[in-house]
Amino acid sequence: RRIIDLHRDKPANRSLHDLKVLLGDQMDLVGILIPPSATIKTSFSKEPLYAFIEETGFRQVILNLVINARDVISKKGTIKISLKKVLKGQKLCKGQKGESRKAPSDGAEISISDDGCGIPEDIRQKIFEPFFTTKNSHSGSGFGLYNCKLFVEDHKGLIGFHSVLDKGTTFFFFLPLDPRAEER
């Protein structure tokens, strides 16, 4: 149903949300999903960051990315979650190698990093494709990252990652800020 909704011409129920508040609300659930011996580090913008988004889809993106990070870290691993404002033209995902992407407008960058095994070079081109998974058939459907990509693109954003073998991976996504936020 979610895939069908994302492909419809009419947008899902969207409203103005402070991304910092939504992300903060997710931290209780993230704490339950992560093993107690693992570490979660957060770094959120001090200022409110308002975007016109579909709330449930945003929450699903965060959970999909956190679950993927959880599945690759050790029991004492670390997951870092950050939210920051980026200005038009700024480089996204600090430390990203290869083709750099720049913010097409003022927006928010959300990143979720892990200290897991990294993504092998031979599968990097496939990870956002539907049905692609590295997990066994009992724990992965191959729709998590695909749905993340659909949500972000449907909200006129960008999604990508930076990965180093045996060091970890950072998934990031950019969402444009709503110009009406300046009026708040």
Side-chain angles (χ1 to χ4, degrees):
R1 182 186 167 280
R2 178 85 180 113
I3 292 169
I4 292 168
D5 284 348
L6 285 172
H7 287 289
R8 288 190 178 154
D9 285 338
K10 65 177 186 170
N13 190 14
R14 295 181 190 195
S15 56
L16 197 59
H17 290 278
D18 181 353
L19 298 177
K20 184 173 86 171
V21 171
L22 289 182
L23 200 52
D25 286 348
Q26 288 292 96
M27 290 303 102
D28 287 340
L29 185 52
V30 166
I32 293 168
L33 294 172
I34 304 302
S37 57
T39 303
I40 300 170
K41 294 182 179 180
T42 59
S43 172
F44 297 166
S45 169
K46 293 192 184 332
E47 66 184 303
L49 299 173
Y50 288 96
F52 193 68
I53 61 167
E54 192 268 314
E55 179 183 353
T56 302
F58 178 82
R59 291 179 184 274
Q60 287 174 343
V61 169
I62 299 303
L63 291 180
N64 280 335
L65 295 175
V66 166
I67 288 168
N68 284 349
R70 175 204 64 194
D71 290 349
V72 298
I73 62 171
S74 67
K75 288 182 182 178
K76 293 188 177 188
T78 301
I79 295 174
K80 296 176 185 172
I81 303 170
S82 73
L83 167 68
K84 67 180 183 178
K85 182 175 183 176
V86 291
L87 301 176
K88 181 179 181 176
Q90 275 186 297
K91 185 176 179 182
L92 298 173
C93 192
K94 184 178 176 185
Q96 179 182 0
K97 303 265 192 271
E99 178 188 350
S100 66
R101 299 170 86 181
K102 294 185 178 183
S105 63
D106 290 355
E109 179 185 86
I110 299 99
S111 64
I112 298 177
S113 303
D114 64 66
D115 61 0
C117 58
I119 301 170
E121 195 70 45
D122 62 328
I123 66 168
R124 291 182 183 190
Q125 296 298 321
K126 302 175 193 173
I127 63 170
F128 289 112
E129 293 177 5
F131 302 109
F132 180 79
T133 184
T134 58
K135 299 176 184 178
N136 67 42
S137 62
H138 299 295
S139 63
S141 67
F143 280 105
L145 289 174
Y146 176 68
N147 281 334
C148 291
K149 180 180 179 232
L150 290 178
F151 172 86
V152 171
E153 289 177 351
D154 189 49
H155 286 76
K156 301 196 181 354
L158 300 169
I159 188 168
F161 67 93
H162 167 64
S163 186
V164 177
L165 286 179
D166 300 321
K167 299 278 187 197
T169 300
T170 297
F171 275 91
F172 70 92
F173 64 101
F174 165 88
L175 293 173
L177 293 178
D178 192 287
R180 294 173 289 185
E182 298 298 321
E183 300 166 9
R184 290 184 167 257

